[in-house]
Amino acid sequence: MGLITYPPNKHETDSKSIFFIGSADETCRINDQRVDLADNGNFAYVVSLKLGNNQFRIDIDGESQEYTIVGVKPDEPHPIAYGRIYDSFPAKQPSKKNILRSILVSENQIEIPLNRAPMCNLERLGKYKYFLDLPDTDMDLDWVHYQTQSGSIIIGEVIRSKIPIIFKKPVASINEKWENNSLVLEIEYYQQDFAVCIDPGHGGEQMGSRSPKGIWEKELNLSFAQLLKEELINLNVSTIMTRDEDEFVSLDERVNYAEEEDSLLFLSIHHNALPDARDPNLERGASCHYFHEQSKPFANYLLNKVVEHTELSYSGLFRQNLHVLRENPDRISVLLELGYLIHPLESELISSADFQAKTARIVAKAIKNFFLQD
Ligand SMILES: [Zn+2]
């Protein structure tokens, strides 16, 4: 026995179209048009509407019924529904409010449908982060619609009238325009060549942690960084180092160097230790640290690759307020801790030449795959 499950008879709507939902055993016709049935007899059938009464005769399996759908004017214009302009009858009066309901995001464009052009202030916080402020717009954000799978843009949590926009690729410029009832931001990305700034932690009088056998962290950081540099060169990835020998380099100098050379990735290499109150027997494994949001996806990716392909366990992904990460907002800045140098067993593993060579290959490959494979 067939039936219509939506809409109810005498349904009122301000939309210029509606759909009938239902099912039939054999056949369904709406105003003499044959409705396609799925194998299970279900159907969804779209009809257009006019203002006022719209009459439909619906025949399901030979039984006929009359339906009325009433087209009405909305009180105010519809800005948006379901990520698209809602095609409604004209409003009784223009809207006093400009309500932001939806943001449509594609690789190179952000589109915000609104009733009228908003006041708009785009604040650049760096190559990877902007604040879009729409002070005369009411925020009632239902949808952020990402039109591409591997998006380079993340819309952050809206704070009052401010929308944080985080980019995974460095942005050269953003152009704003008002078009088709939408505020459109067109994004131009930097076309600069990819270069990695490798930062071997500590150096000179800054020794870092020390293994049970007396290996200093600064030495291990440097030897690993040198292996990583060779692996990257083998993969044709440009590389610079904040230090290439056992010397003191301040945290500011490390960041400034990455800035001057305009590298897109800053990767600091360390081997971990613990504060006094903890038990070194209980903690082991690799961890990755980031501060700015754009660095999180790579930090996560890198850590997972290291854990997947080495003997190191997963110690954690941390947002951490470290100088070389925090003061380095214009690139992907990540600090990798390759195991605990104070752990009785792990120290032997991570200081071995085999482990260092293998892990340098894994890290280099992770960098190449994440940044240079399209
Ligand atoms: Zn360290």
Side-chain angles (χ1 to χ4, degrees):
M1 187 59 186
L3 76 166
I4 296 281
T5 56
Y6 183 85
N9 195 11
K10 305 204 172 106
H11 177 69
E12 289 187 5
T13 180
D14 56 24
S15 167
K16 285 182 174 173
S17 67
I18 200 160
F19 40 80
F20 285 100
I21 306 291
S23 63
D25 293 334
E26 301 286 337
T27 58
C28 175
R29 298 180 77 81
I30 296 180
N31 284 355
D32 279 334
Q33 296 295 310
R34 197 172 64 83
V35 173
D36 285 335
L37 305 179
D39 287 344
N40 58 16
N42 295 344
F43 63 85
Y45 186 79
V46 176
V47 293
S48 46
L49 299 174
K50 56 183 172 51
L51 271 177
N53 286 351
N54 296 260
Q55 301 296 341
F56 296 94
R57 205 182 78 240
I58 302 180
D59 296 294
I60 296 181
D61 301 330
E63 281 199 30
S64 189
Q65 49 187 315
E66 294 294 327
Y67 249 81
T68 305
I69 307 293
V70 186
V72 296
K73 289 187 173 195
D75 291 337
E76 289 199 341
H78 268 279
I80 286 301
Y82 305 104
R84 288 238 194 119
I85 300 290
Y86 184 88
D87 194 12
S88 80
F89 297 113
K92 292 172 188 159
Q93 56 191 23
S95 177
K96 292 178 203 79
K97 288 183 186 158
N98 211 12
I99 305 173
L100 186 149
R101 293 250 164 81
S102 176
I103 302 178
L104 289 78
V105 182
S106 60
E107 192 66 14
N108 299 299
Q109 188 173 293
I110 296 169
E111 199 184 329
I112 303 173
L114 289 163
N115 287 331
R116 57 175 185 274
M119 277 169 65
C120 170
N121 177 31
L122 194 59
E123 184 187 352
R124 182 182 172 94
L125 300 180
K127 284 181 197 160
Y128 290 91
K129 189 166 185 181
Y130 283 71
F131 268 129
L132 174 63
D133 192 10
L134 303 172
D136 66 343
T137 303
D138 288 325
M139 296 289 160
D140 188 13
L141 182 58
D142 287 333
W143 296 81
V144 179
H145 182 67
Y146 293 96
Q147 286 158 318
T148 43
Q149 280 278 308
S150 59
S152 296
I153 303 170
I154 303 161
I155 303 296
E157 203 173 317
V158 177
I159 307 151
R160 291 196 195 88
S161 61
K162 277 190 171 188
I163 304 164
I165 307 172
I166 298 117
F167 298 90
K168 294 190 209 163
K169 296 193 286 184
V171 171
S173 67
I174 298 183
N175 175 38
E176 317 153 22
K177 60 182 180 182
W178 176 251
E179 194 177 78
N180 298 329
N181 268 345
S182 291
L183 176 68
V184 177
L185 307 179
E186 289 173 325
I187 296 121
E188 289 259 8
Y189 294 101
Y190 263 100
Q191 295 301 321
Q192 83 200 75
D193 293 333
F194 180 80
V196 186
C197 181
I198 306 173
D199 175 46
H202 314 284
E205 72 242 32
Q206 286 207 334
M207 315 293 272
S209 58
R210 198 177 193 199
S211 83
K213 293 231 167 55
I215 300 167
W216 285 105
E217 185 197 347
K218 64 172 186 174
E219 296 161 18
L220 213 50
N221 294 343
L222 181 59
S223 64
F224 182 86
Q226 283 162 335
L227 291 168
L228 176 58
K229 178 181 165 183
E230 281 167 35
E231 293 293 343
L232 286 166
I233 289 170
N234 290 341
L235 296 173
N236 291 317
V237 178
S238 310
T239 305
I240 53 170
M241 303 259 280
T242 55
R243 69 179 176 96
D244 219 339
E245 52 193 70
D246 182 17
E247 60 177 338
F248 172 80
V249 185
S250 74
L251 298 178
D252 269 330
E253 284 172 311
R254 293 168 197 260
V255 171
N256 290 342
Y257 187 57
E259 184 75 40
E260 277 161 30
E261 298 293 327
D262 212 10
S263 59
L264 284 184
L265 171 64
F266 179 91
L267 180 60
S268 196
I269 303 295
H270 286 254
H271 295 79
N272 221 343
L274 283 169
D276 289 346
R278 305 262 279 277
D279 180 350
N281 292 293
L282 300 181
E283 314 229 10
R284 53 196 302 179
S287 58
C288 247
H289 307 255
Y290 70 96
F291 183 79
H292 297 288
E293 281 159 282
Q294 76 263 12
S295 303
K296 187 180 178 185
F298 176 67
N300 183 44
Y301 179 84
L302 177 64
L303 179 59
N304 279 299
K305 288 294 164 193
V306 168
V307 169
E308 189 181 333
H309 296 292
T310 72
E311 296 87 339
L312 291 178
S313 58
Y314 186 95
S315 168
L317 175 69
F318 300 99
R319 180 171 192 266
Q320 207 170 2
N321 189 1
L322 297 169
H323 184 101
V324 292
L325 304 179
R326 183 187 65 243
E327 300 302 322
N328 223 346
D330 265 348
R331 54 198 44 76
I332 308 290
S333 306
V334 170
L335 187 146
L336 175 63
E337 296 272 8
L338 281 167
Y340 281 84
L341 196 54
I342 58 172
H343 187 279
L345 301 177
E346 196 154 273
S347 59
E348 298 299 311
L349 168 73
I350 63 183
S351 57
S352 74
D354 276 358
F355 174 88
Q356 288 223 317
K358 182 175 89 173
T359 308
R361 261 198 308 283
I362 289 155
V363 173
K365 220 175 135 205
I367 291 170
K368 170 116 182 177
N369 285 345
F370 190 89
F371 290 99
L372 296 166
Q373 234 91 46
D374 273 328

